[in-house]
């Protein structure tokens, strides 16, 4: 059996999306320091974030907030997270200063800005934390964040 190694969340996300399209998410993967998973168990949708423990790559659909902060931006997830008492909004904020360091992410955001009906699938390794406006994504670093631009079928047909 051939083994491949990657330290890139982009590579893992690409594999996940390909396997998902092929309905083959039961393929196994080893994550150093965390153990063996299937792709189905490694990736966790934000709606299930409070019901999991251990290492996961979280993901969910998000829309770009209309106001930009220079190259910075804020994304609002379409699904809310239940904190045990109520459904809380989840967001991801990237400051102008941080956005200047991650051009691969800002290029994806710029594409979303030009398509108002589009959305982004946000993948990250990390957690969430409560702030003044709800819950926020806490990625361990920008290397642990991947965005995929999605255009709804109705807009693609225009």
């Amino acid at each position: 059996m051939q083994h491949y190694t990657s330290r890139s969340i982009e590579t893992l996300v690409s594999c996940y999306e390909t396997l998902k399209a092929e309905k083959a998410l039961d393929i196994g993967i080893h994550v150093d320091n965390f153990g063996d998973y299937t792709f189905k168990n490694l990736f966790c949708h934000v709606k299930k974030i409070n019901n999991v423990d251990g290492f996961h790559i979280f993901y969910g659909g998000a829309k770009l907030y209309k106001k930009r902060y220079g190259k910075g931006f804020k994304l609002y997830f379409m699904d809310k997270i239940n904190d045990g008492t109520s459904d809380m909004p989840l967001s991801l904020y990237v400051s102008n200063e941080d956005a200047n360091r991650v051009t691969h992410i800002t290029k994806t955001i710029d594409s979303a800005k030009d398509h108002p009906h589009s959305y982004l699938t946000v993948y990250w390794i990390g957690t969430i934390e409560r702030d003044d406006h709800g819950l926020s994504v806490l990625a361990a670093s920008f290397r642990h964040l991947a965005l995929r631009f999605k255009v709804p079928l109705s807009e693609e047909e225009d």
Side-chain angles (χ1 to χ4, degrees), residues 19-35:
L19 293 172
K20 186 175 180 181
E22 295 172 358
K23 298 181 180 4
L25 291 176
D26 289 328
I27 289 178
I29 181 171
H30 178 79
V31 180
D32 285 349
N33 302 321
F34 295 101

Side-chain angles (χ1 to χ4, degrees), residues 137-156:
V137 167
L138 263 184
S141 80
F142 286 111
R143 289 186 6 246
H144 296 137
L145 179 67
L147 304 178
R148 294 294 191 268
F149 175 65
K150 308 286 183 172
V151 178
L153 290 176
S154 59
E155 188 175 323
E156 286 179 348

Side-chain angles (χ1 to χ4, degrees), residues 43-60:
F43 284 78
C44 179
H45 190 271
V46 294
K47 288 197 103 165
K48 299 177 185 175
I49 200 166
N50 288 327
N51 300 326
V52 297
D53 57 358
F55 179 81
H56 292 283
I57 297 174
F58 298 105
Y59 70 94

Side-chain angles (χ1 to χ4, degrees), residues 26-119:
D26 289 328
I27 289 178
I29 181 171
H30 178 79
V31 180
D32 285 349
N33 302 321
F34 295 101
D36 295 321
Y37 292 82
T38 63
F39 274 86
K40 183 186 338 184
N41 293 332
L42 179 61
F43 284 78
C44 179
H45 190 271
V46 294
K47 288 197 103 165
K48 299 177 185 175
I49 200 166
N50 288 327
N51 300 326
V52 297
D53 57 358
F55 179 81
H56 292 283
I57 297 174
F58 298 105
Y59 70 94
K63 303 272 271 166
L64 179 63
Y65 183 65
K66 292 179 182 176
K67 182 181 177 190
R68 293 287 299 270
Y69 309 94
K71 288 192 178 281
F73 58 90
K74 189 166 196 172
L75 299 174
Y76 286 99
F77 284 76
M78 295 181 274
D79 293 302
K80 300 207 182 302
I81 309 298
N82 191 300
D83 70 348
T85 59
S86 64
D87 287 340
M88 305 280 297
L90 176 64
S91 64
L92 168 67
Y93 173 73
V94 175
S95 71
N96 188 41
E97 179 182 308
D98 288 337
N100 284 325
R101 293 184 292 142
V102 288
T103 56
H104 67 286
I105 291 174
T106 56
K107 286 180 184 176
T108 304
I109 293 297
D110 290 341
S111 296
K113 181 183 71 170
D114 295 336
H115 297 275
H117 300 293
S118 66
Y119 66 97

